[in-house]
Amino acid sequence: MSQSSGLKYAYFPGCSLQSSAVDYNRSILSTCTELGIELRELEDWNCCGTTAVTSTNLLLSYLLPARNLALAEEEGLDLAVACNSCLVTHRRVTGCFSLDISPLANKIRSSLHKIGRTFRGRVQVRHILDILAEDLGFEGLAGKVKRRLEGLKVVPYYGCQYSRPGAQLKEAEMPESMDQILDLLGVEVKEYSRKTKCCGGVLMTTKPEIAAALVNELLEEAADRGADAIVVTCPLCQMNLDIYQGDVNARFGRSYNLPVVYFTQLLGIALGVKLVELDVHRGFVPAEPLLRKYA
Amino acid sequence: MAALELTRREEFDPAFLSLVASFPEGAKIRHCVQCGTCTGSCPVSYQMQHTPRKIIEMVRAGMRRAVLTSDSIWYCASCYSCSVRCPQGINLPEVMYLLRSIATATARDRSAIFYHCFSETVRRYGRLHEPALMLRYQLRTGLLGLFKNLPIGVQMLAKGKLHLLGRRIGGCQEVETLFRLAEDERRGSTGVPI
Ligand code: SF4
Ligand code: SF4
């Protein structure tokens, strides 16, 4: 590990990062190691429940992430999350605790008590992107860039939940943090009006015709803008855009061939991390031919 | 409003609005001005039986059955496009969650079945285990889907993006207790999800 940045978090990878997004996980870990950010995986974390549990049992949708927050509080650390949906799910809980009197917070407290846990609302939930852009900061990052990714053209796709709910309208619809990081790396960041448009999320499984139409729009604009790749911050977006790209091509008679990479993979390359440590070979649409020359 | 005219009087149940309004995010729908910004911002409203704006008005009118059996509540992708633009600060995806939680026991929509299978998988393992989830889901929605998804599954396996064996976390008992507590609450005096 290089010199410590003094930043330390309890890390919640979330379920996707152990399966469909192992590449995201690996690139986060190698990049943060390189930057001296300590991510200590939360011991014995559980699934946050995501929209599945919010759609079946409301109280449970607060209790599952609350257990993770209690575990982080026991460590005395803020919680670093990688997935946009995990971000929203955990923040729904911390949101109840920031209000003075919330009957829901009391209910969460008493339920946690029954499994021998406590949560007092002293944990902040931070997306890896915000940790890099705000906690470490652009200056901290700029000093570490070893290789500039000149000539690489991308569109930044944040997905719908990264900047919502809660943010002011402009930030909620047109965030800038990832654009700025990519700028620092020398990447050519194209305008992209669909930065925070929905990818359909889990509808890709339950109502594929709808989600595929949304993904088709996202791919179409990316191609129209002349992007070589789409850069994402969320495992579910990556899955819908990459793993289902062939399916979308078949449905709509298109021939997109756009690699969908995580911002941490590009950052890692610029920091001098080896390609294999960033797992760039796992995408369905191969990203290696595009990225090899920078490594 | 054609839907309202066509609905028989006995289908208006004022207790439905009171139920929804007993939740903080539900109470806010009283302030909806029916501007339609939500519908206009929604990426999936064009497919919904009733648009998001209309669902709100139907809840306010007490159209319990029509709301809970509509596909609209299951189409919402929780993208929050509507909520960041709503002039009245209404958090529509939370209202949708609430309506789903009320409807869930009888819902037959594929999304409802998927969410239920997902929850049960988490209950067993403490985390998501995709093969177990997909198997549960396909068994309930038709095995044809399993064959359709097989090529993607095989490719994910080859890319190291899928693990066949699930592992239960150490805290499974804690997770099970949380499930029970939440279920007891639902069955409790109010008969509502929280
Ligand atoms: S945007 Fe808000 S106020 Fe306007 S119709 Fe939708 S919920 Fe009502
Ligand atoms: S959160 Fe749901 S209702 Fe609102 S815009 Fe997104 S899909 Fe439509």
mmCIF file of all heavy atoms in Angstrom, chain B residues 67-85:
data_model
loop_
_atom_site.group_PDB
_atom_site.id
_atom_site.type_symbol
_atom_site.label_atom_id
_atom_site.label_comp_id
_atom_site.label_asym_id
_atom_site.label_seq_id
_atom_site.Cartn_x
_atom_site.Cartn_y
_atom_site.Cartn_z
ATOM 1 N N VAL B 67 -56.248 0.450 -7.524
ATOM 2 C CA VAL B 67 -54.839 0.812 -7.354
ATOM 3 C C VAL B 67 -54.001 -0.436 -7.096
ATOM 4 O O VAL B 67 -52.973 -0.672 -7.743
ATOM 5 C CB VAL B 67 -54.655 1.812 -6.185
ATOM 6 C CG1 VAL B 67 -53.182 1.947 -5.820
ATOM 7 C CG2 VAL B 67 -55.239 3.173 -6.545
ATOM 8 N N LEU B 68 -54.475 -1.255 -6.161
ATOM 9 C CA LEU B 68 -53.651 -2.389 -5.735
ATOM 10 C C LEU B 68 -53.561 -3.502 -6.778
ATOM 11 O O LEU B 68 -52.639 -4.309 -6.734
ATOM 12 C CB LEU B 68 -54.161 -2.949 -4.401
ATOM 13 C CG LEU B 68 -54.075 -1.972 -3.217
ATOM 14 C CD1 LEU B 68 -54.565 -2.643 -1.942
ATOM 15 C CD2 LEU B 68 -52.662 -1.434 -3.023
ATOM 16 N N THR B 69 -54.508 -3.535 -7.707
ATOM 17 C CA THR B 69 -54.416 -4.569 -8.735
ATOM 18 C C THR B 69 -53.850 -4.024 -10.047
ATOM 19 O O THR B 69 -53.702 -4.769 -11.005
ATOM 20 C CB THR B 69 -55.802 -5.195 -9.039
ATOM 21 O OG1 THR B 69 -56.686 -4.138 -9.410
ATOM 22 C CG2 THR B 69 -56.354 -5.939 -7.835
ATOM 23 N N SER B 70 -53.521 -2.736 -10.067
ATOM 24 C CA SER B 70 -53.000 -2.190 -11.323
ATOM 25 C C SER B 70 -51.530 -2.592 -11.490
ATOM 26 O O SER B 70 -50.829 -2.842 -10.511
ATOM 27 C CB SER B 70 -53.099 -0.672 -11.336
ATOM 28 O OG SER B 70 -52.051 -0.123 -10.579
ATOM 29 N N ASP B 71 -51.099 -2.629 -12.758
ATOM 30 C CA ASP B 71 -49.689 -2.968 -12.972
ATOM 31 C C ASP B 71 -48.783 -1.772 -12.679
ATOM 32 O O ASP B 71 -47.583 -1.921 -12.514
ATOM 33 C CB ASP B 71 -49.467 -3.509 -14.398
ATOM 34 C CG ASP B 71 -49.753 -2.470 -15.484
ATOM 35 O OD1 ASP B 71 -49.885 -1.269 -15.172
ATOM 36 O OD2 ASP B 71 -49.831 -2.865 -16.665
ATOM 37 N N SER B 72 -49.367 -0.580 -12.591
ATOM 38 C CA SER B 72 -48.565 0.647 -12.433
ATOM 39 C C SER B 72 -47.580 0.561 -11.280
ATOM 40 O O SER B 72 -46.415 0.938 -11.409
ATOM 41 C CB SER B 72 -49.473 1.849 -12.195
ATOM 42 O OG SER B 72 -50.476 1.905 -13.167
ATOM 43 N N ILE B 73 -48.077 0.067 -10.152
ATOM 44 C CA ILE B 73 -47.212 0.090 -8.962
ATOM 45 C C ILE B 73 -45.992 -0.823 -9.139
ATOM 46 O O ILE B 73 -44.982 -0.629 -8.491
ATOM 47 C CB ILE B 73 -47.985 -0.248 -7.659
ATOM 48 C CG1 ILE B 73 -48.610 -1.644 -7.718
ATOM 49 C CG2 ILE B 73 -49.065 0.790 -7.394
ATOM 50 C CD1 ILE B 73 -49.292 -2.050 -6.399
ATOM 51 N N TRP B 74 -46.095 -1.786 -10.040
ATOM 52 C CA TRP B 74 -44.969 -2.709 -10.246
ATOM 53 C C TRP B 74 -44.060 -2.272 -11.378
ATOM 54 O O TRP B 74 -42.998 -2.851 -11.586
ATOM 55 C CB TRP B 74 -45.492 -4.131 -10.496
ATOM 56 C CG TRP B 74 -46.302 -4.597 -9.338
ATOM 57 C CD1 TRP B 74 -47.662 -4.709 -9.274
ATOM 58 C CD2 TRP B 74 -45.821 -4.958 -8.031
ATOM 59 N NE1 TRP B 74 -48.055 -5.119 -8.027
ATOM 60 C CE2 TRP B 74 -46.947 -5.284 -7.247
ATOM 61 C CE3 TRP B 74 -44.549 -5.038 -7.449
ATOM 62 C CZ2 TRP B 74 -46.843 -5.685 -5.906
ATOM 63 C CZ3 TRP B 74 -44.449 -5.447 -6.129
ATOM 64 C CH2 TRP B 74 -45.582 -5.759 -5.379
ATOM 65 N N TYR B 75 -44.485 -1.283 -12.153
ATOM 66 C CA TYR B 75 -43.628 -0.791 -13.233
ATOM 67 C C TYR B 75 -42.572 0.178 -12.741
ATOM 68 O O TYR B 75 -41.537 0.357 -13.363
ATOM 69 C CB TYR B 75 -44.457 -0.109 -14.325
ATOM 70 C CG TYR B 75 -44.815 -1.059 -15.440
ATOM 71 C CD1 TYR B 75 -46.102 -1.557 -15.585
ATOM 72 C CD2 TYR B 75 -43.845 -1.467 -16.348
ATOM 73 C CE1 TYR B 75 -46.419 -2.441 -16.598
ATOM 74 C CE2 TYR B 75 -44.152 -2.351 -17.371
ATOM 75 C CZ TYR B 75 -45.441 -2.836 -17.491
ATOM 76 O OH TYR B 75 -45.737 -3.711 -18.496
ATOM 77 N N CYS B 76 -42.850 0.852 -11.637
ATOM 78 C CA CYS B 76 -41.921 1.880 -11.148
ATOM 79 C C CYS B 76 -40.535 1.277 -10.974
ATOM 80 O O CYS B 76 -40.366 0.220 -10.381
ATOM 81 C CB CYS B 76 -42.423 2.441 -9.822
ATOM 82 S SG CYS B 76 -41.216 3.506 -9.013
ATOM 83 N N ALA B 77 -39.518 1.954 -11.529
ATOM 84 C CA ALA B 77 -38.154 1.444 -11.469
ATOM 85 C C ALA B 77 -37.347 2.134 -10.367
ATOM 86 O O ALA B 77 -36.130 2.005 -10.321
ATOM 87 C CB ALA B 77 -37.470 1.635 -12.819
ATOM 88 N N SER B 78 -38.028 2.878 -9.505
ATOM 89 C CA SER B 78 -37.374 3.588 -8.384
ATOM 90 C C SER B 78 -36.245 4.491 -8.863
ATOM 91 O O SER B 78 -35.176 4.514 -8.262
ATOM 92 C CB SER B 78 -36.776 2.613 -7.362
ATOM 93 O OG SER B 78 -37.670 1.582 -7.093
ATOM 94 N N CYS B 79 -36.495 5.233 -9.925
ATOM 95 C CA CYS B 79 -35.413 6.061 -10.457
ATOM 96 C C CYS B 79 -35.403 7.466 -9.871
ATOM 97 O O CYS B 79 -34.476 8.226 -10.093
ATOM 98 C CB CYS B 79 -35.502 6.129 -11.976
ATOM 99 S SG CYS B 79 -36.817 7.198 -12.561
ATOM 100 N N TYR B 80 -36.441 7.824 -9.150
ATOM 101 C CA TYR B 80 -36.537 9.121 -8.460
ATOM 102 C C TYR B 80 -36.568 10.328 -9.396
ATOM 103 O O TYR B 80 -36.396 11.449 -8.946
ATOM 104 C CB TYR B 80 -35.401 9.309 -7.432
ATOM 105 C CG TYR B 80 -35.444 8.334 -6.286
ATOM 106 C CD1 TYR B 80 -34.777 7.120 -6.358
ATOM 107 C CD2 TYR B 80 -36.164 8.617 -5.121
ATOM 108 C CE1 TYR B 80 -34.821 6.207 -5.313
ATOM 109 C CE2 TYR B 80 -36.205 7.713 -4.074
ATOM 110 C CZ TYR B 80 -35.528 6.506 -4.173
ATOM 111 O OH TYR B 80 -35.568 5.607 -3.136
ATOM 112 N N SER B 81 -36.774 10.101 -10.698
ATOM 113 C CA SER B 81 -36.862 11.249 -11.621
ATOM 114 C C SER B 81 -38.034 12.127 -11.240
ATOM 115 O O SER B 81 -37.967 13.349 -11.308
ATOM 116 C CB SER B 81 -37.099 10.771 -13.056
ATOM 117 O OG SER B 81 -36.063 9.951 -13.463
ATOM 118 N N CYS B 82 -39.139 11.488 -10.863
ATOM 119 C CA CYS B 82 -40.341 12.241 -10.507
ATOM 120 C C CYS B 82 -40.118 13.011 -9.224
ATOM 121 O O CYS B 82 -40.448 14.190 -9.125
ATOM 122 C CB CYS B 82 -41.520 11.289 -10.338
ATOM 123 S SG CYS B 82 -41.142 9.897 -9.254
ATOM 124 N N SER B 83 -39.519 12.363 -8.225
ATOM 125 C CA SER B 83 -39.456 12.989 -6.905
ATOM 126 C C SER B 83 -38.528 14.204 -6.889
ATOM 127 O O SER B 83 -38.795 15.162 -6.176
ATOM 128 C CB SER B 83 -39.060 11.971 -5.836
ATOM 129 O OG SER B 83 -37.761 11.515 -6.068
ATOM 130 N N VAL B 84 -37.452 14.183 -7.681
ATOM 131 C CA VAL B 84 -36.577 15.358 -7.663
ATOM 132 C C VAL B 84 -37.229 16.554 -8.361
ATOM 133 O O VAL B 84 -36.822 17.685 -8.159
ATOM 134 C CB VAL B 84 -35.165 15.107 -8.256
ATOM 135 C CG1 VAL B 84 -34.399 14.111 -7.415
ATOM 136 C CG2 VAL B 84 -35.212 14.656 -9.692
ATOM 137 N N ARG B 85 -38.248 16.283 -9.167
ATOM 138 C CA ARG B 85 -38.907 17.394 -9.873
ATOM 139 C C ARG B 85 -40.248 17.797 -9.282
ATOM 140 O O ARG B 85 -40.788 18.848 -9.625
ATOM 141 C CB ARG B 85 -39.135 17.009 -11.330
ATOM 142 C CG ARG B 85 -37.861 16.915 -12.138
ATOM 143 C CD ARG B 85 -38.181 16.567 -13.571
ATOM 144 N NE ARG B 85 -36.972 16.447 -14.371
ATOM 145 C CZ ARG B 85 -36.972 16.051 -15.639
ATOM 146 N NH1 ARG B 85 -38.108 15.729 -16.226
ATOM 147 N NH2 ARG B 85 -35.847 15.976 -16.313
#
